[in-house]
């Protein structure tokens, strides 16, 4: 009947290995995605022929329309890595495979700049470094979580117990003096000179040291 609606066919899933091979040949990421989408998603040879035939198309290097590569993105979401970041690095760096970049991005918690630094710093044995990452991740997942030292809780009130003062025009020169509180009295430490201080320069200190009141004299045994 005339009331039936026909939905557009779903775009094919883009094979990441095929995408990497095409990009290694010097084609842009968007052009490679368009080529693979046009030939079913994984046939590198057919995609190359498509590239040669359509490389002059005005939209060849434009991003695919929304949903055009949705199958690939959803398939890659299980790794917890933003595939947009991965593909951008692959294209911009030009000397690493998709799998290598993905491993670096995952290791660097999605930070593209850190991932690029990691890749170049391990370029002499990149596959070995990636294998070590995967081995470490597997070992961490299989091991039991280590017990953590319990956090202390309390009022969160602190008392001033020390201060450091600077004498001079700027912090790059001059002289530093310390004052510490001992048994309720302030003591000055000026190189080898140690003496009681009746009026420490609290309002002019360069650094202040505080101690939490409810832990004074009774540190946590786990620390």
């Amino acid at each position: 009947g005339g009331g039936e609606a026909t939905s557009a066919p779903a775009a094919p899933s883009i094979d990441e290995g095929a995408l990497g091979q095409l990009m290694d040949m010097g084609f842009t990421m968007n052009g490679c995605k368009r080529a693979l989408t046009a030939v079913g998603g994984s046939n590198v040879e057919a995609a190359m022929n498509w590239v040669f035939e359509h490389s002059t198309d005005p939209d060849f290097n434009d991003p695919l329309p929304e949903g055009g590569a949705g199958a690939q993105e959803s398939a890659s979401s299980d790794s917890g890595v933003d595939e947009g970041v991965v593909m951008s690095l692959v294209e911009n760096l030009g000397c690493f495979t998709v799998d290598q970049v993905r491993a670096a991005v995952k290791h660097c918690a999605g930070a593209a700049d850190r991932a690029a630094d990691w890749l170049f710093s391990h370029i002499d044995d990149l596959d070995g470094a990636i294998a070590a990452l995967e081995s470490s991740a597997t070992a961490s997942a299989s091991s039991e979580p280590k017990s953590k030292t319990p956090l202390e809780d309390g009022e969160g009130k602190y008392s001033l117990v020390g201060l450091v003062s600077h004498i001079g025009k700027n912090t790059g020169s001059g002289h530093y003096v310390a004052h510490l509180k001992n048994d309720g009295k302030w003591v000055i430490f000026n190189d080898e000179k140690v003496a009681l201080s009746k009026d420490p320069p609290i309002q002019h200190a360069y650094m202040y040291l505080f101690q939490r009141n409810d832990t004074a004299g009774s540190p946590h045994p786990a620390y």
Side-chain angles (χ1 to χ4, degrees):
E4 294 181 359
T6 57
S7 60
S13 175
I14 296 177
D15 182 87
E16 295 171 4
L19 179 63
Q21 289 183 51
L22 283 176
M23 292 181 65
D24 287 343
M25 298 175 190
F27 304 121
T28 65
M29 178 176 63
N30 289 331
C32 294
K33 284 185 175 181
R34 286 181 175 275
L36 287 169
T37 300
V39 301
S42 61
N43 190 320
V44 176
E45 184 175 354
M48 284 181 58
N49 293 331
W50 189 95
V51 168
F52 291 133
E53 293 175 5
H54 297 83
S55 59
T56 57
D57 291 354
D59 62 347
F60 178 75
N61 292 314
D62 293 344
L64 284 171
E66 287 295 326
Q72 179 219 4
E73 292 174 0
S74 61
S76 303
S77 61
D78 292 342
S79 65
V81 174
D82 186 339
E83 291 300 318
V85 173
V86 173
M87 293 306 173
S88 177
L89 281 176
V90 170
E91 183 174 21
N92 292 329
L93 299 179
C95 56
F96 302 104
T97 68
V98 174
D99 289 338
Q100 289 172 337
V101 172
R102 183 180 295 108
V105 171
K106 185 174 182 179
H107 174 63
C108 297
D113 53 346
R114 288 174 51 207
D117 289 341
W118 188 90
L119 287 165
F120 283 113
S121 64
H122 294 82
I123 197 169
D124 291 338
D125 185 19
L126 188 54
D127 291 336
I130 292 174
L133 286 180
E134 294 173 348
S135 175
S136 176
T138 301
S140 298
S142 60
S143 62
E144 296 182 0
K146 297 180 180 179
S147 61
K148 296 182 178 179
T149 301
L151 297 178
E152 291 185 299
D153 195 10
E155 292 184 291
K157 294 184 178 180
Y158 295 77
S159 295
L160 181 67
V161 296
L163 53 96
V164 176
S165 305
H166 176 260
I167 304 170
K169 293 183 179 181
N170 56 66
T171 56
S173 63
H175 186 65
Y176 289 90
V177 176
H179 286 77
L180 294 177
K181 204 169 190 179
N182 184 30
D183 292 333
K185 298 179 180 180
W186 284 100
V187 180
I188 183 174
F189 293 82
N190 183 4
D191 291 337
E192 297 180 357
K193 178 184 177 182
V194 179
L196 290 176
S197 176
K198 294 182 179 180
D199 188 20
I202 295 177
Q203 67 274 23
H204 301 299
Y206 175 74
M207 182 182 297
Y208 297 89
L209 306 176
F210 292 86
Q211 183 177 38
R212 208 172 84 180
N213 294 342
D214 56 1
T215 62
S218 58
H220 196 290
Y223 293 132

